[in-house]
Amino acid sequence: MTVKVAVAGASGYAGGELLRLLLAHPEVEIGVLTAASSAGTPLGQHQPHLAPLAGRVLRETTPDTLAGHDVVFLALPHGHSGAIAAQLGPDVLVVDLGADHRLAEAADWQRWYTGDHAGTWPYGLPELPGARAKLAGTKRIAVPGCFPTGGSLALAPALAAGLVKPEVSVVSVTGTSGAGKSLKPHLLGSEVMGSASAYGVGGAHRHTPEFAQNLGAVAGERVTVSFTPVLAPMPRGILTTASASLASEVDTTAARAVYEKAYADEPFVQLLPEGSWPTTAATLGSNNAQLQVTVDADAGRLIVVSSIDNLTKGTAGGAIQSMNIALGLPETTGLSTVGVAP
Amino acid sequence: MTVKVAVAGASGYAGGELLRLLLAHPEVEIGVLTAASSAGTPLGQHQPHLAPLAGRVLRETTPDTLAGHDVVFLALPHGHSGAIAAQLGPDVLVVDLGADHRLAEAADWQRWYTGDHAGTWPYGLPELPGARAKLAGTKRIAVPGCFPTGGSLALAPALAAGLVKPEVSVVSVTGTSGAGKSLKPHLLGSEVMGSASAYGVGGAHRHTPEFAQNLGAVAGERVTVSFTPVLAPMPRGILTTASASLASEVDTTAARAVYEKAYADEPFVQLLPEGSWPTTAATLGSNNAQLQVTVDADAGRLIVVSSIDNLTKGTAGGAIQSMNIALGLPETTGLSTVGVAP
Amino acid sequence: MTVKVAVAGASGYAGGELLRLLLAHPEVEIGVLTAASSAGTPLGQHQPHLAPLAGRVLRETTPDTLAGHDVVFLALPHGHSGAIAAQLGPDVLVVDLGADHRLAEAADWQRWYTGDHAGTWPYGLPELPGARAKLAGTKRIAVPGCFPTGGSLALAPALAAGLVKPEVSVVSVTGTSGAGKSLKPHLLGSEVMGSASAYGVGGAHRHTPEFAQNLGAVAGERVTVSFTPVLAPMPRGILTTASASLASEVDTTAARAVYEKAYADEPFVQLLPEGSWPTTAATLGSNNAQLQVTVDADAGRLIVVSSIDNLTKGTAGGAIQSMNIALGLPETTGLSTVGVAP
Amino acid sequence: MTVKVAVAGASGYAGGELLRLLLAHPEVEIGVLTAASSAGTPLGQHQPHLAPLAGRVLRETTPDTLAGHDVVFLALPHGHSGAIAAQLGPDVLVVDLGADHRLAEAADWQRWYTGDHAGTWPYGLPELPGARAKLAGTKRIAVPGCFPTGGSLALAPALAAGLVKPEVSVVSVTGTSGAGKSLKPHLLGSEVMGSASAYGVGGAHRHTPEFAQNLGAVAGERVTVSFTPVLAPMPRGILTTASASLASEVDTTAARAVYEKAYADEPFVQLLPEGSWPTTAATLGSNNAQLQVTVDADAGRLIVVSSIDNLTKGTAGGAIQSMNIALGLPETTGLSTVGVAP
């Protein structure tokens, strides 16, 4: 099978990571690449690491330029995917890396974003219960946010098994690429290096309702999520520390058993050996999520730590994994379980 | 007043930071500097940033070499201060930057450390209720751990005011200097840069009982602490995200009022203007703690974020602040409220 | 003496560093602070590390707002100082941190910058031969560029002593703050971290004529300068590797003797002990320059390595050092020889 | 073809990078992995990013454990390869990533290293003139040092074409992984981050004779090399600034033409479009070298900047590229021309 793929938003970080991975995908032919203000310039100016595509000229993001492909990836700012997607044919597989089609409730969309709610598409986190069935054969995929990817993988097994109460606390340390290439003063290298900072504190981050949606579905009840992202001086990676009160007395061995079972057959999730804790470097550039679980008996809480690469498993890798499922390809096609370290 | 000061452990990070600050202290004369394996070598080999002391030769850490000073700072590995301190006269002000004299309960000491419990000394976090009275005129000071400094400042006002339930969750992102100059593989630059990692998870970090001791005293009841440190790629700084369930319905304005009142007269604690969140860079090299507070109404939790420099306010600056109180000097003498950024 | 000081351009990195240092200067009272697009906002929004000035509101940069001060520092984009300075009275000490008054030759200015040449002022690198005499009592100071500061200190003694031929090669590794807070894609944290890159290669950097001017004056003949700056993932610091062919056979001992003599009485220049090499961390936040010298007998070249903090000795610290001389204050007043490390 | 490969020194950075690349090599089966002090432990403890090999137990590095493979990679400390290699059969392809078999002159070896000179093997930098012919079918490969890789690629075309005089100056900014996992204080994260430092200055670095050997062969005459490595705060990457006096008047266009011709058919070398300058991030994890060339007419020098990943093209990727040639495989098999950025 050769699948012809277009990428809208090829000059940004998500678009660049998509292309990095698609270049290694044996069933993919890379077609049109589009951008907004960078249209008309060669990709090499924006993504010098993608040497084989350096001479490709970026086109404008329109339904016309995106026509004629089997798969269209939309790596656009939030609120821009809905309109474009509506003009792409029903036979094209559209994979939206933005937030537009993630939230089921219009009220959630309107509280956290602006503009009209574009509706919900099958959610591209295959490791969640029931997700693969909805992704198989679909023509529309909503790629999860990077934080809900790392956090949902950390907490879903515990909530599904009833290990913890439905009030979770999540602190995620993230690299800067999650904020994209936007030219904001606090994202300058001089500001970022040597500094950690919190933002979107107190339930203010837009990924909060997505967390609640994922975890509530798994738990079968409403789950309260206290989520705080922390910006750290690294380009990539999310290290999530998630915790919740134990629902009943459980020790670490029993908790690990729940996670071992949940992820035994997952190609991209590794529960680390006891005593080893995740580092983001170990997942860098791979589609892996690495986890460790422990019980703090004194505090009566389950603590789960997960690491992912925000651009790979957290964005572009997860998107391709879901594309593979939708197209009927082996789920791991073109994706690596090997990180780039040190 | 001129105070003659010795520093034991001058080749390490805590010792280096002490000397950096003491060089700017108008009432201090720097006396003997000691080290362990580096004894006999010039300080400049270990602390090239301390240009005025580059030629000073390090001596061995013995009661004899430390004799004849008004103040002795002990920046030694845990478990080494007790024996030395016992041999220093009762008229010498001994300031222990290690853990040996922090914990009141021998059982806590024995669970978290090794060797005999050396007893408790007045605790050098002046911003805690009642601390200044115990420090005034004392000849023995136990300098707090860096994490309990940032975390106690974040949570004490809320617990003292009964804003939150006595079950707190603390995730602290820390620079690498907190781990000292020990030659461990995971502290190599190649491992640290570009990576975040959790350690001492699940109540396993030695600062956990110190947190509980501080917060319990403030709350007037036992406080459960779930504490997770996260190592981030920066040399200095601790950014703490602390949270707890609200005890009753409180909004952000009311919560801020509690913190404003608690820290109104504190020279080294700044509650940031609403909408601004702490960064570690802003406190780097200063003795400041910067805080912000918010209420997450959906999650029913109070979230407090604090930033400090782990070596300054979290170690050597806090030590000198307490020394000033003990000696009857103005508390801010020789300490800066100005950070080094970017 | 109390000197009332204004800072134009207080929201940028150079302005912030000036204020950090001026806050510690015993003879200075900080007056009006101005900015361009940030006028009307509190300084704390832009420089959260300057806690004591957080509430100061920035004013517009006009001759009127800057009137009534003993000293005015201009930390403005290149080409903006000339016009403002011309409107400040002859009795005000004007210290220009921009390039406008550095170059003696109008032709140099016109080749490397835009707009009219504003003329030359006494050059604020006191360590150069004859500089102090021109700075004493002056009312106008041109602060050197950060690269020419580190590079001229590295090469001046060798050229003055005739150790090397007048063709020098300079590669300077710099932190990102030298580029200011300008919002350019290549300065984003995501781009900078984990990457080194060259720019302004092949004699294209604007500091090249300043190098040639400084070194030519010292050598007493035209000096050819091949200068390449390299951007490294750190906020501050310049590490310069400078080299030139030996004019005659000289060994390291003899070369060191030349540097020892040249800098024996300099309070801010340290020739390190043999075998020690400069690191930028050791000078961070201080007004120091640290140097080491060696002869590569195989290659027949002298190699000099220098480290400075680009914002301190390379900009704001050097500016204050020269201000002290101009005002007749002890040259080291308010300046530190102690770095902030690690 | 399936080639069975052993890796001696699998717990280090070079060994880890070899395995990362070999896991993606379609013709390779990974056999025995060995280590020194880590023998007996699972690879996952040392290389958590190599998830598919996490359970592999490291064996001791002996001729016996390494027997029975088609290819043996030796990623051992300098001086350790010679003895092992002598005990591996003549039909095994031995690829030495250490320095033992790089230098042709025993006198060079004895000056720069310790122990006996092990002799010279075909040199694994295929882009050098004549190198491929020596590598084809060979059973012994000496992998170049990381600095000579980046520097020789930068300078060889200019010297071969007689563009410059045979006296070159090379300053290479390197990430920390080049120093390996050795536990030295100056390699700690706290020391490295936020700091640049020079080392091995003045012709003292062991790669200097290798530079001279490579460049002398290309130039057809003795080439004098002034080489200075600079340690920068990043895990990977080498950015080399190389320069030399022009032999005759040449402009940038003519110089570029020489490089275009030299590298036109090279799959792993990219001369960037005029105006673009190399960054190490763009080559991270790939086997690419990116170059840019310019003439500084004022200084009369040619300046070439190159970027590579020290662990990939500079070590393990270059080793596999040479292995491919030796085995008669397409040279690019299993190697990527796509970097991991940001």
Side-chain angles (χ1 to χ4, degrees), chain C residues 49-341:
Chain C
H49 60 299
L50 303 175
L53 301 172
R56 287 285 196 94
V57 175
L58 294 165
R59 301 185 59 185
E60 296 206 3
T61 306
T62 68
D64 277 359
T65 57
L66 296 172
H69 295 84
D70 303 306
V71 183
V72 174
F73 287 96
L74 301 175
L76 303 173
H78 298 315
H80 286 63
S81 311
I84 285 279
Q87 299 178 69
L88 298 171
D91 295 339
V92 181
L93 172 53
V94 183
V95 185
D96 185 4
L97 284 75
D100 295 31
H101 303 91
R102 291 176 195 158
L103 296 178
E105 302 295 330
D108 278 344
W109 174 263
Q110 277 140 16
R111 176 172 169 198
W112 298 95
Y113 296 90
T114 52
D116 290 337
H117 183 223
T120 322
W121 289 354
Y123 189 73
L125 191 53
E127 292 84 357
L128 287 186
R132 283 190 176 90
K134 293 182 190 156
L135 291 168
T138 184
K139 291 296 181 187
R140 296 290 186 269
I141 298 170
V143 179
C146 52
F147 291 120
T149 296
S152 301
L153 292 173
L155 286 166
L159 285 162
L163 285 185
V164 294
K165 298 185 184 156
E167 298 172 9
V168 304
S169 179
V170 178
V171 177
S172 291
V173 177
T174 182
T176 54
S177 60
K181 277 193 191 172
S182 46
L183 295 175
K184 294 176 185 164
H186 77 284
L187 296 177
L188 285 174
S190 300
E191 301 292 318
V192 165
M193 292 185 287
S195 193
S197 56
Y199 68 101
V201 185
H205 194 282
R206 288 170 165 181
H207 285 175
T208 306
E210 195 180 335
F211 263 113
Q213 178 173 298
N214 291 353
L215 298 178
V218 167
E221 62 180 321
R222 182 171 174 273
V223 175
T224 298
V225 180
S226 165
F227 171 56
T228 307
V230 174
L231 196 66
M234 52 191 199
R236 290 178 177 232
I238 295 180
L239 189 94
T240 294
T241 302
S243 69
S245 290
L246 295 169
S248 60
E249 240 179 68
V250 170
D251 64 7
T252 296
T253 306
R256 277 185 60 87
V258 167
Y259 278 75
E260 268 163 11
K261 192 176 161 199
Y263 293 130
D265 299 327
E266 289 297 343
F268 295 119
V269 182
Q270 292 108 39
L271 181 65
L272 296 180
E274 224 168 329
S276 293
W277 288 91
T279 69
T280 60
T283 61
L284 197 147
S286 83
N287 203 47
N288 288 341
Q290 300 200 339
L291 278 89
Q292 186 55 285
V293 185
T294 197
V295 164
D296 180 340
D298 293 320
R301 288 180 85 83
L302 181 80
I303 322 281
V304 192
V305 176
S306 73
S307 69
I308 59 167
D309 184 321
N310 60 305
L311 290 179
T312 320
K313 178 62 179 164
T315 304
I320 291 171
Q321 183 183 354
S322 295
M323 175 197 81
N324 287 341
I325 297 171
L327 295 175
L329 292 167
E331 190 172 324
T332 59
T333 311
L335 293 168
S336 177
T337 56
V338 178
V340 182

Side-chain angles (χ1 to χ4, degrees), chain A residues 176-262:
Chain A
T176 53
S177 60
K181 277 193 191 171
S182 44
L183 295 175
K184 295 176 184 163
H186 78 284
L187 296 177
L188 284 174
S190 300
E191 301 292 319
V192 165
M193 291 184 287
S195 192
S197 56
Y199 68 101
V201 186
H205 194 282
R206 287 171 165 181
H207 286 176
T208 307
E210 195 180 333
F211 263 114
Q213 178 173 298
N214 292 352
L215 299 178
V218 167
E221 62 180 321
R222 181 173 174 273
V223 174
T224 297
V225 180
S226 165
F227 171 56
T228 306
V230 174
L231 197 65
M234 54 191 196
R236 292 179 176 230
I238 296 179
L239 190 93
T240 295
T241 302
S243 69
S245 292
L246 295 169
S248 60
E249 239 179 69
V250 170
D251 64 8
T252 295
T253 305
R256 277 185 60 88
V258 167
Y259 278 75
E260 268 164 9
K261 193 175 159 199

Side-chain angles (χ1 to χ4, degrees), chain D residues 227-244:
Chain D
F227 171 56
T228 308
V230 174
L231 197 65
M234 52 192 198
R236 289 180 178 230
I238 295 179
L239 189 93
T240 294
T241 301
S243 69

Side-chain angles (χ1 to χ4, degrees), chain A residues 95-153:
Chain A
V95 185
D96 185 4
L97 283 75
D100 295 30
H101 303 92
R102 291 177 195 157
L103 297 178
E105 302 296 331
D108 279 344
W109 175 263
Q110 276 140 16
R111 177 173 169 198
W112 298 95
Y113 296 90
T114 51
D116 291 338
H117 183 224
T120 323
W121 288 354
Y123 189 74
L125 191 53
E127 292 84 359
L128 287 185
R132 284 190 176 92
K134 291 181 191 157
L135 291 168
T138 184
K139 291 296 179 186
R140 296 291 186 269
I141 298 171
V143 179
C146 53
F147 290 120
T149 296
S152 300
L153 292 173

